[in-house]
Amino acid sequence: MAPKKTAKSQILVQPVPEKRGYEFGGPLGAFGIVFGLPILIYSFAFFCNDISGCPAPSLLHPSTLTLDKLKTEIGWPEQGIAALYDTQVTLWVLGYYFLSLFLQIFLPGQEAEGMGLACGGRHKYKFNAFPSAVLILSGLVLGTSLYGADFVVWTFLWDNYLQIITANLLISFAISTFVYVRSFSVPKPGQINPESRELAPGGHTGNALYDFFIGRELNPRVRLPIPFVSDTSRTIDIKVWFELRPGLLGWLILNLSNVARQYRTYGYVTDSIALVAVFQGFYVLDSLYMEPAIMTTMDVIMDGFGFMLAFGDIVWVPFLYSVQSRYLAVFPLELGFKGVSLVLGVTAVGYFTFRGANNQKNRFRTNPNDPRVKHIKYIETASGSKLMISGWWGYARHINYLGDWIMSWGYCLPTGFAGYAIIESLSPATGEIQRRAVQTPELRGWGLIFTYFYLVYFGVLLVHREQRDEEKCKRKYGADWNRYTSLVRSRIIPGVY
């Protein structure tokens, strides 16, 4: 059903929502992800630790493994699961969220319209994630200049790591529940739809668990009752805010906390942890600086906002992606000139591919007359869309995924052939027990399970995302997509896949 117009204004009428089948294994897969991935996040924190080693040594001897011994090695709290939650920690985490929200609303920013919606409208957005991040990071720099590695933020993040995970996990469940319940107020087909609300194509299957997981509403938004600010400033697109605000910047802040931990323990900072912190920090800040580019991503255009994205944004990304720096905070690996050169080269290739491709796509979609993309060849589909067949996108249909994956190598390589044990010894000078991380032959290599998990997971994720994109595009463009794929044959890796 097309939007109806009057002489005075455009009246948006809700069309019949597009409906699709299950993804991610359907309800069973949703159950596994919703309840399994949080356990995995905690497992990384426990089994690769600064108490016994990475991995906990007993894990390599399953025939003699006992529960009591494992609990001792991983530092399982005496209070049990209840110790994973702390109200004061949760309130501090919420304070960080409210600070980010405050800056979103009151800090000046660029305003722009998003992509066209099925109902015919367009959402308006305010972009100021980068200046917000600069302001928060400036405060952290000031605190560090005054108190050094003992700055309270850095010690708080390390000392309360598990409780901070729990706080973010609870927030992800709470916001997922909120948007799921609220999605049932989306106007029905044929009803007036002044706020341009619509259901996500794959989010209204009728299975409550799956829809909660995948997200029912495409772009859930809330308008806060705040006077003296523009309507765009007080209207928060929940999906876009979570994608780029607390979790992404939180990833960078956790890395900095891990650097501070290494310095507090050893009195110096290694080249390996510096590389991880700089590369991942640059990736985060670059993403925030290029905030408007998120408007053309599949997450915003096609995917609903549910537990999958909420958990991914504020739990999975910051706590899984910072595993490398957390590992290096305990085991201070020095790479040397050759090691640093290798990591720099790999990361540079990945970033050049990733950012070059995404910039080209964004410019072509928003302003095809931009001198930087005027030369791009394309085919025009029956729906009027233009599909690029030259430039970066002439090499592969998802060439940006290749760049993203190559960069993931640069994040993992600084951890080396990972694995260590915590050895206790008596200090001859003070008579106190000292604890240090040592790479024993037995544990060497087993740490790869943790420090290189991101690389493997990310590769699988990108292939799965590419397959989802291909399916959606084939359904959208039909015969035109077949024509396009005959011209651009490679999916991600030119000439290989």
Side-chain angles (χ1 to χ4, degrees), residues 178-451:
F178 171 75
V179 295
Y180 175 76
V181 172
R182 190 171 179 270
S183 69
F184 289 95
S185 64
V186 170
K188 300 281 190 292
Q191 292 182 344
I192 302 300
N193 187 21
E195 296 180 337
S196 301
R197 297 179 64 193
E198 50 184 79
L199 299 178
H204 53 107
T205 65
N207 183 282
L209 176 61
Y210 179 82
D211 292 346
F212 167 82
F213 159 73
I214 205 74
R216 287 192 87 245
E217 188 169 355
L218 182 63
N219 298 113
R221 297 159 70 86
V222 291
R223 185 174 286 107
L224 302 176
I226 300 176
F228 311 120
V229 296
S230 68
D231 188 63
T232 305
S233 292
R234 64 190 178 97
T235 300
I236 306 299
D237 187 297
I238 297 175
K239 178 166 64 175
V240 172
W241 190 80
F242 270 85
E243 286 262 317
L244 285 174
R245 295 280 177 157
L248 202 60
L249 182 60
W251 170 20
L252 189 159
I253 293 173
L254 282 171
N255 277 343
L256 295 177
S257 169
N258 295 335
V259 173
R261 167 67 178 189
Q262 187 189 75
Y263 187 81
R264 284 199 308 275
T265 304
Y266 299 101
Y268 59 86
V269 174
T270 60
D271 52 14
S272 57
I273 199 171
L275 282 177
V276 169
V278 169
F279 288 156
Q280 294 186 351
F282 181 76
Y283 178 89
V284 169
L285 293 175
D286 179 72
S287 298
L288 298 178
Y289 183 77
M290 302 299 297
E291 185 180 13
I294 196 175
M295 294 296 97
T296 59
T297 62
M298 296 298 288
D299 282 358
V300 173
I301 297 173
M302 302 298 296
D303 292 338
F305 183 76
F307 181 82
M308 179 181 73
L309 287 181
F311 173 82
D313 291 339
I314 64 174
V315 181
W316 189 257
V317 167
F319 295 99
L320 180 73
Y321 291 16
S322 61
V323 162
Q324 292 84 17
S325 67
R326 188 170 178 82
Y327 170 90
L328 293 168
V330 181
F331 183 71
L333 177 67
E334 290 285 359
L335 297 176
F337 178 77
K338 290 183 179 179
V340 170
S341 299
L342 173 63
V343 176
L344 285 173
V346 170
T347 305
V349 170
Y351 178 77
F352 180 70
T353 305
F354 171 79
R355 181 50 62 200
N358 279 339
N359 280 350
Q360 193 174 77
K361 177 184 70 172
N362 188 53
R363 288 165 182 151
F364 184 80
R365 286 186 175 180
T366 55
N367 181 19
N369 292 319
D370 188 314
R372 292 167 290 187
V373 294
K374 280 184 67 174
H375 65 284
I376 296 294
K377 297 178 181 178
Y378 61 88
I379 64 170
E380 189 162 355
T381 67
S383 63
S385 298
K386 298 175 180 178
L387 302 177
M388 294 181 284
I389 58 172
S390 69
W392 280 109
W393 302 90
Y395 295 117
R397 304 196 289 272
H398 306 277
I399 189 69
N400 57 328
Y401 291 173
L402 175 61
D404 223 355
W405 189 63
I406 293 174
M407 278 193 291
S408 73
W409 280 88
Y411 302 159
C412 301
L413 286 172
T415 63
F417 206 54
Y420 61 80
I422 300 296
I423 305 298
E424 293 185 347
S425 61
L426 195 64
S427 171
T430 64
E432 297 179 349
I433 295 178
Q434 294 180 326
R435 304 172 72 253
R436 58 195 180 96
V438 177
Q439 189 166 72
T440 62
E442 181 185 37
L443 289 174
R444 187 171 186 264
W446 286 102
L448 297 176
I449 296 171
F450 303 95
T451 62

Side-chain angles (χ1 to χ4, degrees), residues 27-40 173 209 212-213 307:
L28 186 61
F31 178 87
I33 293 173
V34 170
F35 297 103
L37 290 190
I39 295 175
L40 183 63
F173 270 105
L209 176 61
F212 167 82
F213 159 73
F307 181 82

Side-chain angles (χ1 to χ4, degrees), residues 20 54 63 107 119 354 397 402 407 411 435 454-455:
R20 295 179 186 163
C54 182
S63 61
L107 206 63
C119 63
F354 171 79
R397 304 196 289 272
L402 175 61
M407 278 193 291
Y411 302 159
R435 304 172 72 253
Y454 169 72
L455 186 151

Side-chain angles (χ1 to χ4, degrees), residues 8-20:
K8 293 183 179 179
S9 62
Q10 184 181 28
I11 301 177
L12 300 178
V13 177
Q14 186 71 291
V16 176
E18 182 183 351
K19 199 164 187 175
R20 295 179 186 163

Side-chain angles (χ1 to χ4, degrees), residues 136-192:
I136 291 173
L137 292 173
S138 297
L140 296 176
V141 169
L142 177 61
T144 305
S145 67
L146 294 174
Y147 301 101
D150 292 316
F151 180 42
V152 64
V153 173
W154 308 138
T155 56
F156 175 83
L157 291 174
W158 185 274
D159 295 341
N160 300 281
Y161 185 72
L162 294 170
Q163 292 76 21
I164 294 170
I165 291 176
T166 303
N168 283 277
L169 181 60
L170 292 175
I171 292 170
S172 69
F173 270 105
I175 196 65
S176 302
T177 302
F178 171 75
V179 295
Y180 175 76
V181 172
R182 190 171 179 270
S183 69
F184 289 95
S185 64
V186 170
K188 300 281 190 292
Q191 292 182 344
I192 302 300

